[in-house]
Amino acid sequence: MSSCRSTRTASSALGPQHAELDRELYFREGMARILAEEGFDVVAQARNSVELVGLVRRDPPDVVITDLRMPPGFADEGIEAAAEIRSFAPQVGLMLLSQYVEVHHALRLMEEFDGAVGYLLKDRVSDLGAFAIDVRRVAGGEVVTDAELVSRLVGRRRERDPLAELTHREREVLSLMAQGLTNAALSEELVLSPKTIEGYVRSVFTKLGLEQSEREHRQVQAVLQFLRWQ
């Protein structure tokens, strides 16, 4: 769909089936206009995954925005292209868009991609301001997860659920962490002091058995457990 620089973006074609290529062309062009209006420098557009990877090899942008399903097969070309890009340009942020919530793809992104990755439904693009913020967060190295993915998972349980020990508030904090909120954002969202939020986050890490390490690494591991066991 598109690639942007500073944020510089590149993008690739979007579309679930060949009959919709014209519609997806309009979507891609519309996306480029939206990004430009939000202050992004759109440096390239790609029609398929092969073209996208080639463009990034030649001139890596700050972030790539691509559909999860791309030509020619409209299967998982987008995420495979993202994996290839990450292998040779790990500094490039990767924002993947999807028509539907696909949990296995979201989990793969969080497990295999070490930060600077996002997974959003295409509907989220309609909120231009929020979408621009999410793209910049991914370009800055953060992980962004669609709120609908999280909401669909909340409340579902499996046997021997490792989240069972969490209190309601701790689960709420973890759910918001899964959406990419920082401690400061958690404090604002839940109307709690930063010190209280830090206590909840620390308690979540302890109850999930996450050893002391870099805080960002532990947060990613906590979110992965949340997604796996919902």
Side-chain angles (χ1 to χ4, degrees):
M1 192 190 145
S2 306
S3 4
C4 306
R5 192 167 281 139
S6 240
T7 300
R8 251 180 121 244
T9 62
S11 65
S12 59
L14 305 169
Q17 55 189 2
H18 293 280
E20 299 183 348
L21 279 174
D22 287 343
R23 181 178 66 81
E24 298 307 332
L25 171 62
Y26 296 141
F27 187 93
R28 188 172 75 242
E29 294 290 345
M31 174 70 70
R33 287 196 296 272
I34 288 170
L35 291 169
E37 290 172 2
E38 291 295 327
F40 294 93
D41 179 13
V42 181
V43 297
Q45 294 185 50
R47 293 166 295 183
N48 55 57
S49 59
V50 174
E51 188 173 306
L52 175 61
V53 171
L55 287 170
V56 177
R57 281 189 184 278
R58 288 192 293 274
D59 186 18
D62 293 322
V63 61
V64 167
I65 304 171
T66 185
D67 197 338
L68 195 150
R69 299 178 182 275
M70 297 172 59
F74 295 96
D76 59 356
E77 289 88 352
I79 195 169
E80 293 301 332
E84 186 173 354
I85 289 169
R86 182 53 55 92
S87 71
F88 66 79
Q91 78 281 7
V92 174
L94 301 165
M95 173 67 84
L96 279 85
L97 304 180
S98 178
Q99 190 70 43
Y100 313 102
V101 170
E102 298 181 74
V103 176
H104 60 294
H105 287 312
L107 286 175
R108 179 183 175 188
L109 286 173
M110 299 193 71
E111 289 176 334
E112 298 182 12
F113 295 68
D114 187 19
V117 65
Y119 178 95
L120 294 177
L121 294 182
K122 291 182 183 178
D123 291 347
R124 298 292 178 263
V125 178
S126 61
D127 187 342
L128 305 185
F131 179 65
I133 290 172
D134 286 338
V135 172
R136 288 190 170 91
R137 287 173 58 197
V138 169
E142 296 184 43
V143 175
V144 173
T145 307
D146 194 280
E148 184 168 336
L149 170 66
V150 176
S151 66
R152 289 189 184 185
L153 295 176
V154 170
R156 292 170 53 192
R157 297 287 187 88
R158 297 182 185 178
E159 294 182 4
R160 298 187 333 208
D161 182 356
L163 306 182
E165 293 186 20
L166 301 184
T167 65
H168 173 75
R169 178 65 86 180
E170 289 165 349
R171 289 178 65 86
E172 187 176 17
V173 167
L174 183 53
S175 173
L176 292 172
M177 286 169 58
Q179 296 178 39
L181 271 67
T182 62
N183 276 18
L186 286 170
S187 179
E188 182 177 348
E189 177 72 19
L190 299 176
V191 195
L192 295 171
S193 70
K195 184 175 181 180
T196 299
I197 290 296
E198 186 60 38
Y200 279 124
V201 171
R202 185 166 52 249
S203 179
V204 168
F205 290 158
T206 300
K207 290 182 178 181
L208 295 182
L210 300 177
E211 299 178 357
Q212 292 288 340
S213 62
E214 292 185 11
R215 188 188 179 286
E216 289 187 1
H217 176 71
R218 287 205 296 172
Q219 181 166 337
V220 170
Q221 292 301 311
V223 170
L224 281 175
Q225 288 201 35
F226 174 77
L227 292 175
R228 286 196 189 102
W229 288 95
Q230 293 300 322

